[in-house]
Amino acid sequence: MTKTLVPLFLLLSQFLTGVHSTAQPTLKSAYKDYFPVGVAVAPRNLTGPEAELIVQQFNSVTPENAMKMGPIHPEENRYYWQDADAIVDFAQKNGLKVRGHTLCWHSQTPRWFFTDANGQQVSREVLLARLRQHITDVVTRYKGKIYAWDVVNEAVPDGGESIYRNSKFYEIIGEDYIEKAFEYAHAADPAAKLFYNDYNTENKVKRDKIFQIVKKLKEKGVPIHGVGLQGHWALDEPSEQELEESIRKFADLGLDVQITELDVSVYPKEHEARPKKPTDDGVLTEEMIRKQTAQYKMIFDTFRKHKGAITGVTFWNVSDKATWLDNFPVRGRKDYPLLFDQNYQPKPAFWQVVKF
Ligand code: GLA
């Protein structure tokens, strides 16, 4: 009797005095029963305080640039593997998952891809052969180490009637470049989960266009497993209804949904780049912090509500120290879109996200 009572008493008193645990929740501990929480990284993030923060908080990484077509395949017969290898090695050493990003995208694509030795545009056959070679080489190199790939990125335009962006891939190959890319990736690593990835996916018109494309791919038996909602959001968008509609619509097709590039700008959303104005002073105000905290709360409340449908959430950059939004849509205007501040400390939004 006393044998069991003593430890119980001890436990209780420790609990009441708060001695039992000084451990604070982390992103990965808070969401362990929901989905992996990832972060986009560059090789410079893999040492020092950022590396510590990555290992402490996250259980997945995405190379921010290192696996894009331009950086990894700068010339026809030359790959540059060093940065991508470093990220995959870091992940393996620290037990992190890796999302690959991205196998086919109209942007950051090297010019040689579309032209022959005389500078002429290549034929459909040549471009398909190059796409196949590229995807096969990259996916094979990391086979078994990358659990999910963004296969095609941003194939849908924001405006206009067409559901396909008029990219070089579309112009030269036709709409079936998308299914080919998925087939090549699946052949190279049949175990990898394959995603279509895009931004502005909460806009009704764009969401419906993407829906048409992925539905058609599913019906044709193309090996697509999920849709990536990039999640480059802001204080004023998306609304809860818009976000829920996107998650439901794609999940109802039997596809995994991942948030692949999450950040919440402290400025109202602007979709086009524009010059800096004198009022763009980059000062973080109390009001911005309050609104950002509320927006992050809404977003993660919604993610948890759709447990099961959402199979991953990845932040786009580690902390407010450096984010691509410092230069977009306004070059040189500081933004503060992440959960950790410029000194890597958790922000009010972080606590809203982990305490529920
Ligand atoms: C898009 C791409 C990402 C990245 C961001 C900006 O969302 O998918 O790879 O380039 O733009 O950083």
Side-chain angles (χ1 to χ4, degrees), residues 156 162-164 170 174-180 182-183 196 207-227 249-250 252-255:
V156 172
S162 171
I163 67 169
Y164 294 100
Y170 180 74
E175 66 180 61
D176 60 338
Y177 84 89
I178 299 178
E179 64 193 64
K180 297 285 186 206
F182 278 91
E183 280 159 13
Y196 173 76
R207 180 203 292 127
D208 287 349
K209 288 181 179 181
I210 296 169
F211 182 80
Q212 284 184 58
I213 293 180
V214 294
K215 184 164 182 280
K216 201 161 151 189
L217 294 175
K218 279 281 284 182
E219 284 166 0
K220 282 179 98 170
V222 173
I224 175 172
H225 310 110
V227 172
K249 202 166 169 115
F250 295 117
D252 285 351
L253 273 180
L255 293 166

mmCIF file of all heavy atoms in Angstrom, residues 156 162-164 170 174-180 182-183 196 207-227 249-250 252-255:
data_model
loop_
_atom_site.group_PDB
_atom_site.id
_atom_site.type_symbol
_atom_site.label_atom_id
_atom_site.label_comp_id
_atom_site.label_asym_id
_atom_site.label_seq_id
_atom_site.Cartn_x
_atom_site.Cartn_y
_atom_site.Cartn_z
ATOM 1 N N VAL A 156 -1.315 26.581 -63.317
ATOM 2 C CA VAL A 156 -2.597 27.250 -63.580
ATOM 3 C C VAL A 156 -2.412 28.770 -63.467
ATOM 4 O O VAL A 156 -1.809 29.247 -62.502
ATOM 5 C CB VAL A 156 -3.656 26.750 -62.561
ATOM 6 C CG1 VAL A 156 -4.944 27.542 -62.664
ATOM 7 C CG2 VAL A 156 -3.919 25.261 -62.788
ATOM 8 N N SER A 162 -8.224 30.418 -69.784
ATOM 9 C CA SER A 162 -7.565 29.118 -69.886
ATOM 10 C C SER A 162 -7.330 28.495 -68.514
ATOM 11 O O SER A 162 -7.027 29.200 -67.540
ATOM 12 C CB SER A 162 -6.212 29.294 -70.594
ATOM 13 O OG SER A 162 -5.485 28.082 -70.516
ATOM 14 N N ILE A 163 -7.466 27.190 -68.433
ATOM 15 C CA ILE A 163 -7.135 26.562 -67.150
ATOM 16 C C ILE A 163 -5.642 26.246 -67.068
ATOM 17 O O ILE A 163 -5.125 25.966 -65.998
ATOM 18 C CB ILE A 163 -7.999 25.312 -66.831
ATOM 19 C CG1 ILE A 163 -7.734 24.154 -67.773
ATOM 20 C CG2 ILE A 163 -9.472 25.656 -66.787
ATOM 21 C CD1 ILE A 163 -8.404 22.868 -67.270
ATOM 22 N N TYR A 164 -4.957 26.277 -68.203
ATOM 23 C CA TYR A 164 -3.511 25.992 -68.198
ATOM 24 C C TYR A 164 -2.708 27.278 -68.370
ATOM 25 O O TYR A 164 -3.010 28.093 -69.237
ATOM 26 C CB TYR A 164 -3.156 25.029 -69.334
ATOM 27 C CG TYR A 164 -3.777 23.662 -69.136
ATOM 28 C CD1 TYR A 164 -4.940 23.301 -69.823
ATOM 29 C CD2 TYR A 164 -3.225 22.758 -68.231
ATOM 30 C CE1 TYR A 164 -5.520 22.055 -69.622
ATOM 31 C CE2 TYR A 164 -3.803 21.517 -68.028
ATOM 32 C CZ TYR A 164 -4.948 21.172 -68.721
ATOM 33 O OH TYR A 164 -5.533 19.944 -68.512
ATOM 34 N N TYR A 170 3.780 23.932 -71.608
ATOM 35 C CA TYR A 170 2.440 23.816 -72.195
ATOM 36 C C TYR A 170 2.491 24.101 -73.699
ATOM 37 O O TYR A 170 1.906 23.380 -74.505
ATOM 38 C CB TYR A 170 1.503 24.799 -71.496
ATOM 39 C CG TYR A 170 0.102 24.758 -72.019
ATOM 40 C CD1 TYR A 170 -0.744 23.694 -71.712
ATOM 41 C CD2 TYR A 170 -0.395 25.785 -72.828
ATOM 42 C CE1 TYR A 170 -2.047 23.653 -72.187
ATOM 43 C CE2 TYR A 170 -1.691 25.747 -73.314
ATOM 44 C CZ TYR A 170 -2.510 24.685 -72.989
ATOM 45 O OH TYR A 170 -3.798 24.646 -73.470
ATOM 46 N N GLY A 174 2.089 20.567 -74.759
ATOM 47 C CA GLY A 174 0.624 20.452 -74.654
ATOM 48 C C GLY A 174 0.261 20.085 -73.231
ATOM 49 O O GLY A 174 1.141 19.864 -72.401
ATOM 50 N N GLU A 175 -1.055 19.995 -72.952
ATOM 51 C CA GLU A 175 -1.482 19.835 -71.560
ATOM 52 C C GLU A 175 -1.001 18.526 -70.932
ATOM 53 O O GLU A 175 -0.948 18.399 -69.715
ATOM 54 C CB GLU A 175 -3.008 19.951 -71.444
ATOM 55 C CG GLU A 175 -3.770 18.828 -72.145
ATOM 56 C CD GLU A 175 -5.291 18.989 -71.994
ATOM 57 O OE1 GLU A 175 -5.823 20.012 -72.451
ATOM 58 O OE2 GLU A 175 -5.905 18.086 -71.417
ATOM 59 N N ASP A 176 -0.653 17.551 -71.760
ATOM 60 C CA ASP A 176 -0.250 16.266 -71.177
ATOM 61 C C ASP A 176 1.167 16.280 -70.578
ATOM 62 O O ASP A 176 1.617 15.271 -70.033
ATOM 63 C CB ASP A 176 -0.411 15.106 -72.175
ATOM 64 C CG ASP A 176 0.416 15.263 -73.428
ATOM 65 O OD1 ASP A 176 0.789 16.416 -73.761
ATOM 66 O OD2 ASP A 176 0.695 14.246 -74.093
ATOM 67 N N TYR A 177 1.842 17.436 -70.620
ATOM 68 C CA TYR A 177 3.144 17.470 -69.923
ATOM 69 C C TYR A 177 2.945 17.171 -68.435
ATOM 70 O O TYR A 177 3.814 16.601 -67.778
ATOM 71 C CB TYR A 177 3.863 18.819 -70.149
ATOM 72 C CG TYR A 177 3.464 19.940 -69.236
ATOM 73 C CD1 TYR A 177 4.099 20.149 -68.015
ATOM 74 C CD2 TYR A 177 2.450 20.832 -69.603
ATOM 75 C CE1 TYR A 177 3.734 21.195 -67.179
ATOM 76 C CE2 TYR A 177 2.076 21.877 -68.771
ATOM 77 C CZ TYR A 177 2.720 22.049 -67.570
ATOM 78 O OH TYR A 177 2.364 23.080 -66.746
ATOM 79 N N ILE A 178 1.772 17.555 -67.934
ATOM 80 C CA ILE A 178 1.519 17.361 -66.499
ATOM 81 C C ILE A 178 1.455 15.867 -66.173
ATOM 82 O O ILE A 178 2.145 15.377 -65.275
ATOM 83 C CB ILE A 178 0.227 18.096 -66.074
ATOM 84 C CG1 ILE A 178 0.396 19.598 -66.325
ATOM 85 C CG2 ILE A 178 -0.103 17.808 -64.606
ATOM 86 C CD1 ILE A 178 -0.829 20.442 -65.999
ATOM 87 N N GLU A 179 0.643 15.136 -66.904
ATOM 88 C CA GLU A 179 0.546 13.692 -66.579
ATOM 89 C C GLU A 179 1.858 12.964 -66.835
ATOM 90 O O GLU A 179 2.223 12.042 -66.107
ATOM 91 C CB GLU A 179 -0.625 13.041 -67.323
ATOM 92 C CG GLU A 179 -0.502 13.040 -68.826
ATOM 93 C CD GLU A 179 -1.824 12.672 -69.498
ATOM 94 O OE1 GLU A 179 -2.794 13.439 -69.338
ATOM 95 O OE2 GLU A 179 -1.877 11.639 -70.179
ATOM 96 N N LYS A 180 2.581 13.409 -67.874
ATOM 97 C CA LYS A 180 3.887 12.771 -68.142
ATOM 98 C C LYS A 180 4.817 12.964 -66.944
ATOM 99 O O LYS A 180 5.512 12.039 -66.525
ATOM 100 C CB LYS A 180 4.549 13.371 -69.393
ATOM 101 C CG LYS A 180 3.780 13.152 -70.668
ATOM 102 C CD LYS A 180 3.903 11.718 -71.149
ATOM 103 C CE LYS A 180 3.245 11.554 -72.504
ATOM 104 N NZ LYS A 180 2.780 10.194 -72.757
ATOM 105 N N PHE A 182 4.114 13.332 -63.842
ATOM 106 C CA PHE A 182 3.722 12.428 -62.751
ATOM 107 C C PHE A 182 4.124 10.992 -63.062
ATOM 108 O O PHE A 182 4.603 10.269 -62.179
ATOM 109 C CB PHE A 182 2.207 12.521 -62.491
ATOM 110 C CG PHE A 182 1.833 13.687 -61.622
ATOM 111 C CD1 PHE A 182 1.505 14.914 -62.181
ATOM 112 C CD2 PHE A 182 1.831 13.571 -60.241
ATOM 113 C CE1 PHE A 182 1.178 16.002 -61.375
ATOM 114 C CE2 PHE A 182 1.500 14.650 -59.420
ATOM 115 C CZ PHE A 182 1.178 15.873 -60.000
ATOM 116 N N GLU A 183 3.951 10.578 -64.311
ATOM 117 C CA GLU A 183 4.312 9.194 -64.671
ATOM 118 C C GLU A 183 5.822 8.966 -64.526
ATOM 119 O O GLU A 183 6.247 7.932 -64.015
ATOM 120 C CB GLU A 183 3.842 8.889 -66.096
ATOM 121 C CG GLU A 183 2.356 8.558 -66.107
ATOM 122 C CD GLU A 183 1.689 8.739 -67.478
ATOM 123 O OE1 GLU A 183 2.419 8.893 -68.489
ATOM 124 O OE2 GLU A 183 0.447 8.741 -67.512
ATOM 125 N N TYR A 196 0.495 17.857 -56.862
ATOM 126 C CA TYR A 196 0.373 19.064 -57.665
ATOM 127 C C TYR A 196 0.360 20.223 -56.677
ATOM 128 O O TYR A 196 -0.376 20.188 -55.685
ATOM 129 C CB TYR A 196 -0.924 19.064 -58.510
ATOM 130 C CG TYR A 196 -1.081 20.405 -59.189
ATOM 131 C CD1 TYR A 196 -0.300 20.700 -60.303
ATOM 132 C CD2 TYR A 196 -1.890 21.400 -58.654
ATOM 133 C CE1 TYR A 196 -0.351 21.968 -60.883
ATOM 134 C CE2 TYR A 196 -1.947 22.665 -59.228
ATOM 135 C CZ TYR A 196 -1.173 22.938 -60.340
ATOM 136 O OH TYR A 196 -1.199 24.183 -60.902
ATOM 137 N N ARG A 207 -9.140 27.877 -57.734
ATOM 138 C CA ARG A 207 -9.407 26.578 -57.105
ATOM 139 C C ARG A 207 -10.163 25.653 -58.060
ATOM 140 O O ARG A 207 -9.835 24.472 -58.208
ATOM 141 C CB ARG A 207 -10.225 26.803 -55.833
ATOM 142 C CG ARG A 207 -10.559 25.518 -55.093
ATOM 143 C CD ARG A 207 -11.776 25.703 -54.204
ATOM 144 N NE ARG A 207 -11.555 26.582 -53.081
ATOM 145 C CZ ARG A 207 -12.327 27.633 -52.784
ATOM 146 N NH1 ARG A 207 -13.363 27.936 -53.540
ATOM 147 N NH2 ARG A 207 -12.067 28.375 -51.729
ATOM 148 N N ASP A 208 -11.166 26.216 -58.750
ATOM 149 C CA ASP A 208 -11.968 25.391 -59.660
ATOM 150 C C ASP A 208 -11.146 24.907 -60.859
ATOM 151 O O ASP A 208 -11.334 23.785 -61.334
ATOM 152 C CB ASP A 208 -13.197 26.169 -60.135
ATOM 153 C CG ASP A 208 -14.225 26.308 -59.006
ATOM 154 O OD1 ASP A 208 -14.069 25.627 -57.968
ATOM 155 O OD2 ASP A 208 -15.174 27.096 -59.160
ATOM 156 N N LYS A 209 -10.242 25.745 -61.328
ATOM 157 C CA LYS A 209 -9.386 25.318 -62.450
ATOM 158 C C LYS A 209 -8.469 24.167 -62.012
ATOM 159 O O LYS A 209 -8.323 23.167 -62.710
ATOM 160 C CB LYS A 209 -8.521 26.484 -62.931
ATOM 161 C CG LYS A 209 -9.284 27.563 -63.685
ATOM 162 C CD LYS A 209 -8.322 28.650 -64.134
ATOM 163 C CE LYS A 209 -9.031 29.737 -64.907
ATOM 164 N NZ LYS A 209 -8.106 30.789 -65.359
ATOM 165 N N ILE A 210 -7.876 24.336 -60.844
ATOM 166 C CA ILE A 210 -6.983 23.275 -60.346
ATOM 167 C C ILE A 210 -7.784 21.994 -60.127
ATOM 168 O O ILE A 210 -7.337 20.894 -60.473
ATOM 169 C CB ILE A 210 -6.293 23.720 -59.028
ATOM 170 C CG1 ILE A 210 -5.398 24.923 -59.291
ATOM 171 C CG2 ILE A 210 -5.490 22.575 -58.410
ATOM 172 C CD1 ILE A 210 -4.872 25.605 -58.032
ATOM 173 N N PHE A 211 -8.979 22.167 -59.607
ATOM 174 C CA PHE A 211 -9.856 21.013 -59.359
ATOM 175 C C PHE A 211 -10.106 20.252 -60.664
ATOM 176 O O PHE A 211 -9.996 19.019 -60.712
ATOM 177 C CB PHE A 211 -11.170 21.493 -58.738
ATOM 178 C CG PHE A 211 -12.117 20.375 -58.415
ATOM 179 C CD1 PHE A 211 -11.958 19.617 -57.266
ATOM 180 C CD2 PHE A 211 -13.180 20.077 -59.265
ATOM 181 C CE1 PHE A 211 -12.829 18.577 -56.958
ATOM 182 C CE2 PHE A 211 -14.055 19.040 -58.963
ATOM 183 C CZ PHE A 211 -13.882 18.284 -57.817
ATOM 184 N N GLN A 212 -10.423 20.997 -61.717
ATOM 185 C CA GLN A 212 -10.671 20.336 -63.016
ATOM 186 C C GLN A 212 -9.464 19.523 -63.463
ATOM 187 O O GLN A 212 -9.594 18.410 -63.949
ATOM 188 C CB GLN A 212 -10.944 21.383 -64.094
ATOM 189 C CG GLN A 212 -12.317 22.003 -64.042
ATOM 190 C CD GLN A 212 -12.481 22.954 -65.229
ATOM 191 O OE1 GLN A 212 -12.354 22.545 -66.380
ATOM 192 N NE2 GLN A 212 -12.736 24.223 -64.940
ATOM 193 N N ILE A 213 -8.288 20.109 -63.304
ATOM 194 C CA ILE A 213 -7.070 19.418 -63.755
ATOM 195 C C ILE A 213 -6.816 18.156 -62.928
ATOM 196 O O ILE A 213 -6.619 17.074 -63.482
ATOM 197 C CB ILE A 213 -5.845 20.365 -63.681
ATOM 198 C CG1 ILE A 213 -6.003 21.484 -64.712
ATOM 199 C CG2 ILE A 213 -4.549 19.586 -63.919
ATOM 200 C CD1 ILE A 213 -4.861 22.479 -64.745
ATOM 201 N N VAL A 214 -6.849 18.273 -61.618
ATOM 202 C CA VAL A 214 -6.485 17.099 -60.806
ATOM 203 C C VAL A 214 -7.565 16.017 -60.872
ATOM 204 O O VAL A 214 -7.267 14.827 -60.819
ATOM 205 C CB VAL A 214 -6.126 17.461 -59.338
ATOM 206 C CG1 VAL A 214 -4.861 18.299 -59.289
ATOM 207 C CG2 VAL A 214 -7.249 18.155 -58.609
ATOM 208 N N LYS A 215 -8.812 16.442 -61.055
ATOM 209 C CA LYS A 215 -9.899 15.459 -61.192
ATOM 210 C C LYS A 215 -9.681 14.628 -62.461
ATOM 211 O O LYS A 215 -9.784 13.399 -62.453
ATOM 212 C CB LYS A 215 -11.230 16.214 -61.267
ATOM 213 C CG LYS A 215 -12.453 15.324 -61.306
ATOM 214 C CD LYS A 215 -13.694 16.168 -60.979
ATOM 215 C CE LYS A 215 -14.956 15.337 -60.956
ATOM 216 N NZ LYS A 215 -15.487 15.076 -62.293
ATOM 217 N N LYS A 216 -9.330 15.331 -63.522
ATOM 218 C CA LYS A 216 -9.081 14.653 -64.800
ATOM 219 C C LYS A 216 -7.899 13.681 -64.669
ATOM 220 O O LYS A 216 -7.938 12.554 -65.164
ATOM 221 C CB LYS A 216 -8.771 15.727 -65.846
ATOM 222 C CG LYS A 216 -8.978 15.299 -67.276
ATOM 223 C CD LYS A 216 -9.090 16.566 -68.128
ATOM 224 C CE LYS A 216 -8.596 16.345 -69.541
ATOM 225 N NZ LYS A 216 -8.501 17.587 -70.300
ATOM 226 N N LEU A 217 -6.869 14.132 -63.968
ATOM 227 C CA LEU A 217 -5.699 13.260 -63.776
ATOM 228 C C LEU A 217 -6.100 12.002 -63.003
ATOM 229 O O LEU A 217 -5.735 10.882 -63.379
ATOM 230 C CB LEU A 217 -4.586 13.995 -63.021
ATOM 231 C CG LEU A 217 -3.921 15.174 -63.737
ATOM 232 C CD1 LEU A 217 -2.927 15.878 -62.807
ATOM 233 C CD2 LEU A 217 -3.202 14.743 -65.017
ATOM 234 N N LYS A 218 -6.865 12.186 -61.947
ATOM 235 C CA LYS A 218 -7.328 11.032 -61.148
ATOM 236 C C LYS A 218 -8.144 10.079 -62.014
ATOM 237 O O LYS A 218 -7.956 8.858 -61.976
ATOM 238 C CB LYS A 218 -8.228 11.515 -59.996
ATOM 239 C CG LYS A 218 -7.516 12.034 -58.787
ATOM 240 C CD LYS A 218 -6.991 10.954 -57.883
ATOM 241 C CE LYS A 218 -8.062 10.283 -57.035
ATOM 242 N NZ LYS A 218 -7.487 9.268 -56.140
ATOM 243 N N GLU A 219 -9.057 10.637 -62.780
ATOM 244 C CA GLU A 219 -9.939 9.798 -63.614
ATOM 245 C C GLU A 219 -9.156 9.009 -64.657
ATOM 246 O O GLU A 219 -9.523 7.903 -65.022
ATOM 247 C CB GLU A 219 -11.008 10.663 -64.286
ATOM 248 C CG GLU A 219 -12.096 11.070 -63.311
ATOM 249 C CD GLU A 219 -13.002 12.191 -63.821
ATOM 250 O OE1 GLU A 219 -12.792 12.677 -64.959
ATOM 251 O OE2 GLU A 219 -13.889 12.606 -63.064
ATOM 252 N N LYS A 220 -8.071 9.611 -65.128
ATOM 253 C CA LYS A 220 -7.243 8.920 -66.121
ATOM 254 C C LYS A 220 -6.304 7.905 -65.487
ATOM 255 O O LYS A 220 -5.538 7.243 -66.173
ATOM 256 C CB LYS A 220 -6.378 9.944 -66.888
ATOM 257 C CG LYS A 220 -7.132 10.704 -67.951
ATOM 258 C CD LYS A 220 -6.234 11.705 -68.631
ATOM 259 C CE LYS A 220 -5.694 11.170 -69.947
ATOM 260 N NZ LYS A 220 -5.007 12.250 -70.712
ATOM 261 N N GLY A 221 -6.287 7.846 -64.179
ATOM 262 C CA GLY A 221 -5.395 6.895 -63.509
ATOM 263 C C GLY A 221 -3.948 7.369 -63.407
ATOM 264 O O GLY A 221 -3.029 6.581 -63.164
ATOM 265 N N VAL A 222 -3.735 8.666 -63.577
ATOM 266 C CA VAL A 222 -2.381 9.229 -63.430
ATOM 267 C C VAL A 222 -1.974 9.136 -61.944
ATOM 268 O O VAL A 222 -2.799 9.389 -61.070
ATOM 269 C CB VAL A 222 -2.371 10.704 -63.916
ATOM 270 C CG1 VAL A 222 -1.032 11.379 -63.634
ATOM 271 C CG2 VAL A 222 -2.713 10.772 -65.403
ATOM 272 N N PRO A 223 -0.725 8.742 -61.660
ATOM 273 C CA PRO A 223 -0.315 8.592 -60.251
ATOM 274 C C PRO A 223 -0.117 9.931 -59.529
ATOM 275 O O PRO A 223 0.992 10.382 -59.323
ATOM 276 C CB PRO A 223 1.007 7.820 -60.344
ATOM 277 C CG PRO A 223 1.528 8.134 -61.712
ATOM 278 C CD PRO A 223 0.334 8.350 -62.599
ATOM 279 N N ILE A 224 -1.240 10.541 -59.156
ATOM 280 C CA ILE A 224 -1.188 11.773 -58.348
ATOM 281 C C ILE A 224 -1.820 11.438 -57.007
ATOM 282 O O ILE A 224 -2.874 10.808 -56.955
ATOM 283 C CB ILE A 224 -1.922 12.958 -59.030
ATOM 284 C CG1 ILE A 224 -1.959 14.183 -58.115
ATOM 285 C CG2 ILE A 224 -3.339 12.588 -59.488
ATOM 286 C CD1 ILE A 224 -2.483 15.452 -58.781
ATOM 287 N N HIS A 225 -1.153 11.861 -55.917
ATOM 288 C CA HIS A 225 -1.648 11.482 -54.590
ATOM 289 C C HIS A 225 -2.119 12.656 -53.746
ATOM 290 O O HIS A 225 -2.733 12.466 -52.716
ATOM 291 C CB HIS A 225 -0.549 10.734 -53.820
ATOM 292 C CG HIS A 225 0.056 9.628 -54.615
ATOM 293 N ND1 HIS A 225 1.330 9.670 -55.110
ATOM 294 C CD2 HIS A 225 -0.481 8.466 -55.057
ATOM 295 C CE1 HIS A 225 1.572 8.561 -55.803
ATOM 296 N NE2 HIS A 225 0.495 7.824 -55.800
ATOM 297 N N GLY A 226 -1.765 13.862 -54.177
ATOM 298 C CA GLY A 226 -2.146 14.976 -53.327
ATOM 299 C C GLY A 226 -2.065 16.317 -54.014
ATOM 300 O O GLY A 226 -1.513 16.455 -55.110
ATOM 301 N N VAL A 227 -2.651 17.304 -53.327
ATOM 302 C CA VAL A 227 -2.586 18.684 -53.786
ATOM 303 C C VAL A 227 -1.897 19.506 -52.703
ATOM 304 O O VAL A 227 -2.238 19.394 -51.522
ATOM 305 C CB VAL A 227 -4.001 19.251 -54.064
ATOM 306 C CG1 VAL A 227 -3.945 20.745 -54.342
ATOM 307 C CG2 VAL A 227 -4.623 18.528 -55.252
ATOM 308 N N LYS A 249 -12.644 20.320 -50.842
ATOM 309 C CA LYS A 249 -12.836 20.026 -52.270
ATOM 310 C C LYS A 249 -11.787 19.032 -52.772
ATOM 311 O O LYS A 249 -12.112 18.087 -53.479
ATOM 312 C CB LYS A 249 -12.765 21.344 -53.052
ATOM 313 C CG LYS A 249 -13.443 21.259 -54.395
ATOM 314 C CD LYS A 249 -13.651 22.626 -54.996
ATOM 315 C CE LYS A 249 -14.085 22.419 -56.443
ATOM 316 N NZ LYS A 249 -15.393 22.839 -56.776
ATOM 317 N N PHE A 250 -10.548 19.243 -52.372
ATOM 318 C CA PHE A 250 -9.499 18.331 -52.851
ATOM 319 C C PHE A 250 -9.510 17.021 -52.065
ATOM 320 O O PHE A 250 -9.306 15.953 -52.636
ATOM 321 C CB PHE A 250 -8.132 19.017 -52.805
ATOM 322 C CG PHE A 250 -8.053 20.184 -53.753
ATOM 323 C CD1 PHE A 250 -7.863 21.474 -53.291
ATOM 324 C CD2 PHE A 250 -8.204 19.988 -55.120
ATOM 325 C CE1 PHE A 250 -7.824 22.558 -54.174
ATOM 326 C CE2 PHE A 250 -8.166 21.058 -56.010
ATOM 327 C CZ PHE A 250 -7.982 22.344 -55.540
ATOM 328 N N ASP A 252 -12.087 15.571 -50.887
ATOM 329 C CA ASP A 252 -13.224 14.781 -51.369
ATOM 330 C C ASP A 252 -12.897 14.008 -52.641
ATOM 331 O O ASP A 252 -13.579 13.051 -52.988
ATOM 332 C CB ASP A 252 -14.442 15.681 -51.607
ATOM 333 C CG ASP A 252 -15.107 16.090 -50.292
ATOM 334 O OD1 ASP A 252 -14.719 15.531 -49.239
ATOM 335 O OD2 ASP A 252 -15.991 16.958 -50.319
ATOM 336 N N LEU A 253 -11.869 14.440 -53.341
ATOM 337 C CA LEU A 253 -11.425 13.692 -54.535
ATOM 338 C C LEU A 253 -10.567 12.479 -54.147
ATOM 339 O O LEU A 253 -10.096 11.748 -55.010
ATOM 340 C CB LEU A 253 -10.567 14.586 -55.431
ATOM 341 C CG LEU A 253 -11.236 15.463 -56.477
ATOM 342 C CD1 LEU A 253 -10.171 16.249 -57.232
ATOM 343 C CD2 LEU A 253 -12.056 14.620 -57.444
ATOM 344 N N GLY A 254 -10.349 12.330 -52.847
ATOM 345 C CA GLY A 254 -9.503 11.216 -52.403
ATOM 346 C C GLY A 254 -8.025 11.573 -52.441
ATOM 347 O O GLY A 254 -7.163 10.686 -52.424
ATOM 348 N N LEU A 255 -7.737 12.873 -52.479
ATOM 349 C CA LEU A 255 -6.333 13.312 -52.511
ATOM 350 C C LEU A 255 -5.890 13.782 -51.129
ATOM 351 O O LEU A 255 -6.683 14.339 -50.366
ATOM 352 C CB LEU A 255 -6.174 14.464 -53.507
ATOM 353 C CG LEU A 255 -6.389 14.090 -54.975
ATOM 354 C CD1 LEU A 255 -6.560 15.341 -55.827
ATOM 355 C CD2 LEU A 255 -5.200 13.270 -55.492
#
